[in-house]
Amino acid sequence: MIDFQDRVAVVTGAGGGLGRSHALLLASRGAAVVVNDFGGTVSGEGSSTEPAHRVVEEITAAAGVAVAEGSSVATPEGGEAIVGKALDEFGRVDILVNNAGILRDRSFGKLDWPDLDAVLDVHLKGAFYVTRPAFLHMKEQGYGRIVLTSSGSGVLGNFGQSNYGAAKMGLVGLMNVLKLEGAKYNINVNAIAPIAHTRMTSELLGPLAEKLRPEQVSPVVAYLCSEECELSGELWSVGGGKVARMFIGLAEGYFKDGEEGPPTIEEVAANLEAIRSEDGYGVPASSQEELGKLGQKLAG
Ligand code: NAI
């Protein structure tokens, strides 16, 4: 049985929805949990510490250990305060689940800049602000597990969510770099693209809603947060009982030896099939690996 005894977890946006479910599960398996939530509306207006306190009550009622924290992830000070709460109350941070999120959907032409800023601040910059203080602490202790919450809206695209989609795909970029920077300190960084019925998706899922419970996502997050999980840099689609890796692959493509001159515009047009083919793809572990593969081709 996988447990989190003596582990300290921070879950952001844990006052409801997916975050609440992650916090309850981690606490039920022994983690001491910082339940962070700013407590605003789906679009990020207003604030209240009530949702975080309610979840802490649920955890303590079930004999778990948790404290509430009401800062916004969207500022550097908020990030420091959230991680500081874990250090002050429990003396360490082993697990960070970046989950807090808001929506400000608009088609691209109608997107107001404040709606771009708000969404980037919470999802993308918020992950930086909370992760860095946690990462520095994890580096010192030589152990850490970080989960980022991405979304199919960014990885695959969704109409009307340019701000949200860009922020969510930005998290994949953050993961790809942190998996490299964290490797020698035993800090693993993975991401999920969840699908679940919460207040955020209450109008989007239609009749599927009741089959898409947050509780079906949390065990996957908990696994990624466990000592047993040695994976890093993976993005998993999780929802309704399905768990599957999503990845960016690099295919074999078209190659013209540089000594013959650069490909002409017409050669690009004539070789679309090879350029676009998914044949022979791999999933390079870093951009260095991509460069290495190109180097091999260039060396003949
Ligand atoms: P939710 O609205 O129930 O939960 C988000 C939580 O984040 C709320 O409790 C909210 O108060 C909190 N929050 C918002 N701004 C915050 C801030 N600045 N600082 C701290 N807390 C803040 O929605 P849900 O669905 O549980 O979302 C959780 C995460 O999963 C989000 O990042 C969301 O984008 C992501 N996600 C959810 C999907 C779904 O199907 N439900 C699909 C893809 C991604």
Side-chain angles (χ1 to χ4, degrees):
M1 179 145 148
I2 290 179
D3 75 56
F4 298 93
Q5 221 61 51
D6 302 322
R7 295 288 180 205
V8 175
V10 171
V11 184
T12 68
L18 285 161
R20 167 183 167 272
S21 170
H22 304 337
L24 290 174
L25 182 60
L26 289 170
S28 76
R29 293 288 180 102
V33 182
V34 174
V35 175
N36 158 263
D37 206 290
F38 189 58
T41 62
V42 172
S43 58
E45 266 113 19
S47 71
S48 160
T49 54
E50 238 186 85
H53 281 291
R54 268 202 309 269
V55 173
V56 168
E57 276 165 28
E58 280 186 83
I59 291 173
T60 46
V65 177
V67 288
E69 208 291 330
S71 302
S72 170
V73 299
T75 66
E77 299 74 31
E80 293 284 350
I82 294 163
V83 174
K85 186 81 172 177
L87 299 177
D88 292 348
E89 295 280 339
F90 304 123
R92 53 189 291 131
V93 185
D94 303 289
I95 293 164
L96 168 62
V97 183
N98 284 290
N99 166 82
I102 60 168
L103 285 183
R104 300 270 179 105
D105 293 357
R106 298 267 187 291
S107 59
F108 188 54
K110 293 185 185 147
L111 182 69
D112 292 331
W113 301 135
D115 292 334
L116 171 63
D117 289 339
V119 166
L120 292 181
D121 284 352
V122 173
H123 290 280
L124 183 58
K125 290 163 84 178
F128 277 79
Y129 297 145
V130 186
T131 302
R132 199 171 59 179
F135 188 89
L136 290 174
H137 176 83
M138 289 170 176
K139 204 171 143 181
E140 226 166 81
Q141 77 189 6
Y143 181 81
R145 297 287 183 264
I146 298 171
V147 172
L148 297 160
T149 308
S150 184
S151 168
S153 297
V155 181
L156 304 170
N158 200 23
F159 192 96
Q161 293 196 310
S162 55
N163 51 358
Y164 181 79
K168 288 306 201 187
M169 200 56 195
L171 293 173
V172 177
L174 176 61
M175 169 185 81
N176 285 334
V177 173
L178 293 189
K179 82 178 174 203
L180 301 173
E181 295 194 12
K184 72 173 177 196
Y185 306 104
N186 194 12
I187 303 174
N188 293 348
V189 189
N190 294 288
I192 59 160
I195 305 174
H197 179 213
T198 65
R199 67 174 193 172
M200 191 181 268
T201 53
S202 58
E203 279 157 31
L204 304 174
L205 300 171
L208 285 179
E210 68 187 53
K211 299 201 163 169
L212 297 167
R213 286 171 287 118
E215 292 73 22
Q216 288 165 303
V217 176
S218 299
V220 178
V221 170
Y223 173 72
L224 293 171
C225 290
S226 70
E227 200 171 339
E228 281 77 356
C229 176
E230 291 175 357
L231 303 169
S232 195
E234 301 221 354
L235 168 66
W236 291 359
S237 163
V238 190
K242 177 174 172 171
V243 189
R245 187 177 182 190
M246 299 174 105
F247 51 84
I248 295 176
L250 181 66
E252 208 42 56
Y254 162 77
F255 178 71
K256 180 182 178 191
D257 199 316
E259 283 175 20
E260 296 164 23
T264 64
I265 302 172
E266 291 70 25
E267 279 170 333
V268 174
N271 287 285
L272 284 184
E273 202 176 317
I275 292 168
R276 298 188 59 244
S277 167
E278 291 166 18
D279 288 350
Y281 75 81
V283 184
S286 67
S287 68
Q288 286 303 312
E289 194 174 306
E290 179 194 18
L291 186 61
K293 284 203 167 25
L294 181 60
Q296 281 170 11
K297 263 201 186 312
L298 291 171

